[in-house]
Amino acid sequence: MRPQIQLLTLSLCAALVGCSSSPTGRNQLTLFSDQDMSNLGAQSFEEMKKEIPQSKDKAVINYVQCVTDTITAHVPKQSAFDEWEVVVFESDQVNAFALPGGKIGVYTGLLNVAVNQDQLATVIGHEIAHVLADHSNERLSQSQLASTGLQITSVALGASDYAEYRDMTMAALGVGVQYGVILPYGRTQESEADIIGLQLMSKAGFNPRESVSLWMNMAKASNGQQPPELLSTHPSHSTRISDLEQEMTVLPNSDESRPNCKA
């Protein structure tokens, strides 16, 4: 079968069996099961815990755990895993991530920019939103259709192939930068995670107005190094702030009392 016909056949099959909708109602292509993605996320997380030093600062660990627990208490029970796990990694990176399977990583460098519980909740809510919206599954599925020769399916389904394709897998899950492979979420996925994350943090009682302050801090921390929006897969800081401010006008008032998480 010619490659073009093979790709078209795969695309048609995917359209028939892999269509789903994100929490915002956006159509998605998701070819992998929740359990496959959960297993892949858990395996990748274990690799990271072996290779990246973990913080031993109990106050910081408890602080990050408090913010995470407050948010996940308002997340529906997931079918593929029982609980969310958060690890604080000792690193200057201003970043965090969440993997399928409920695995959350926060780098200590983020705490220099997310300077209070509400700003940290903005980031953690955003990363959890990537999991709830199946963004890793969506990206892995798109890669499967675009590059069938890379055998991405076998990575998700067979542990024996994990080592060979580890960097590619990490990239598809959203944590590839530190492994030298850059495959970030697209602008649509990032914007969607911003909105879902804002809803999550607000529902948990955190102040959604601080999300704007967080992205202002991010803009300052980048020292003007962010590329123009059209050349980046991430929304520009100004676009993010504008979208968040618009979303805040329709957020319902939270019934929760203010969280009290302290570093």
Side-chain angles (χ1 to χ4, degrees):
M1 183 181 294
R2 287 184 300 175
Q4 295 91 336
I5 297 176
Q6 183 182 42
L7 184 58
L8 177 59
T9 302
L10 282 170
S11 300
L12 290 173
C13 291
L16 291 173
V17 303
C19 285
S20 60
S21 296
S22 74
T24 65
R26 180 176 59 83
N27 289 334
Q28 294 175 293
L29 172 67
T30 52
L31 299 179
F32 303 97
S33 72
D34 289 343
Q35 193 59 60
D36 287 336
M37 294 304 300
S38 181
N39 292 344
L40 189 57
Q43 188 173 16
S44 299
F45 199 57
E46 288 305 311
E47 287 281 319
M48 296 185 74
K49 288 196 289 186
K50 293 176 183 176
E51 298 182 12
I52 306 175
Q54 298 178 36
S55 174
K56 294 180 174 58
D57 189 326
K58 291 184 178 179
V60 169
I61 294 170
N62 291 339
Y63 169 55
V64 174
Q65 187 75 57
C66 176
V67 173
T68 303
D69 289 346
T70 304
I71 293 175
T72 56
H74 295 271
V75 173
K77 181 175 174 58
Q78 303 297 295
S79 61
F81 60 92
D82 294 325
E83 59 185 10
W84 296 83
E85 177 187 2
V86 60
V87 169
V88 181
F89 292 105
E90 195 68 47
S91 170
D92 290 335
Q93 287 192 59
V94 181
N95 207 356
F97 63 86
L99 301 177
K103 308 303 182 182
I104 301 170
V106 174
Y107 298 105
T108 51
L110 175 65
L111 303 180
N112 297 323
V113 178
V115 297
N116 57 43
Q117 63 172 5
D118 303 292
Q119 292 182 21
L120 180 58
T122 298
V123 180
I124 292 178
H126 172 97
E127 297 304 330
I128 289 174
H130 279 308
V131 175
L132 299 182
D134 286 333
H135 287 163
S136 290
N137 193 336
E138 184 178 17
R139 180 168 42 188
L140 203 61
S141 299
Q142 291 167 346
S143 297
Q144 166 68 8
L145 289 181
S147 306
T148 55
L150 294 178
Q151 301 178 6
I152 298 175
T153 304
S154 64
V155 178
L157 302 181
S160 61
D161 293 320
Y162 182 84
E164 182 179 356
Y165 296 103
R166 187 192 71 166
D167 287 356
M168 181 181 64
T169 304
M170 291 287 195
L173 292 176
V175 292
V177 174
Q178 57 266 46
Y179 290 93
V181 181
I182 301 177
L183 184 61
Y185 288 114
R187 273 185 283 176
T188 297
Q189 294 167 327
E190 286 290 337
S191 295
E192 189 169 58
D194 280 346
I195 300 306
I196 298 170
L198 190 72
Q199 295 168 348
L200 286 175
M201 68 173 291
S202 178
K203 189 175 182 180
F206 292 103
N207 180 6
R209 295 292 319 172
E210 284 294 316
S211 63
V212 173
S213 299
L214 180 278
W215 286 110
M216 288 180 174
N217 290 352
M218 285 285 193
K220 293 177 183 177
S222 68
N223 293 319
Q225 297 303 307
Q226 186 186 40
E229 183 171 3
L230 289 177
L231 301 179
S232 171
T233 56
H234 284 235
S236 69
H237 297 309
S238 59
T239 296
R240 258 189 161 134
I241 290 169
S242 176
D243 290 346
L244 289 168
E245 288 178 332
Q246 182 175 352
E247 179 65 20
M248 271 182 269
T249 64
V250 297
L251 281 177
N253 294 325
S254 174
D255 294 330
E256 295 295 314
S257 59
R258 284 277 295 152
N260 186 27
C261 300
K262 297 180 179 179

